[in-house]
Amino acid sequence: MTTRLVTMDGSDTLTAAAQEMRDMAIGDVVVTDGDNVVGIVTDRDITVRAVAENMNPATTRLNEITTKDVITVSQYDDAVSAADLMRTYAVRRLPVVQDGRLVGLVSMGDLAVEREPQSVLADISADDPNN
């Protein structure tokens, strides 16, 4: 699980989210409403759901392209449970919550490092970002 999270409000722009992703060398932001997780936006979402559809990143708000109905896990869930949820719901990231509060994010790469440390995905995920 990573605890280096960026959260943003759904009213923030795609440009602001992309700049945060660039500055923090991450591929997603968790969209929140107060303390509640309401969605996730990835760099791919910005590209496929907005730019490819000719939406203006400077004026389009995150809540217009956010993946909603977010599946979450508890910090006490094990890696197998997280992997099963990812497989079942075809997602690559799961927010980790404790008492309804966001405390982290687990990704497929995190699971690879934990469960298959010799795999190519684990090697890539363990390396420093190259951007």
Side-chain angles (χ1 to χ4, degrees), residues 1 6 16 40 52 62 77 83 92 96-97 100 106 108 112 117 122 125 127:
M1 168 178 88
V6 173
I40 295 177
L62 291 177
D77 288 331
R92 297 172 186 212
V96 180
V97 295
V106 63
M108 284 188 349
S125 298
D127 278 347

Side-chain angles (χ1 to χ4, degrees), residues 38-81:
V38 296
I40 295 177
V41 171
T42 67
D43 47 6
R44 186 175 191 283
D45 293 333
I46 292 171
T47 301
V48 173
R49 293 182 182 173
V51 175
E53 297 296 328
N54 292 317
M55 299 171 93
N56 183 341
T59 58
T60 303
R61 305 294 174 193
L62 291 177
N63 58 16
E64 295 178 56
I65 68 159
T66 298
T67 299
K68 297 180 172 120
D69 300 324
V70 177
I71 307 303
T72 63
V73 293
S74 161
Q75 68 177 13
Y76 303 110
D77 288 331
D78 62 19
V80 172
S81 297

Side-chain angles (χ1 to χ4, degrees), residues 22-37:
R22 176 201 60 207
D23 295 347
M24 299 297 293
I26 57 175
D28 58 80
V29 296
V30 178
V31 181
T32 57
D33 181 9
D35 286 338
N36 297 320
V37 175

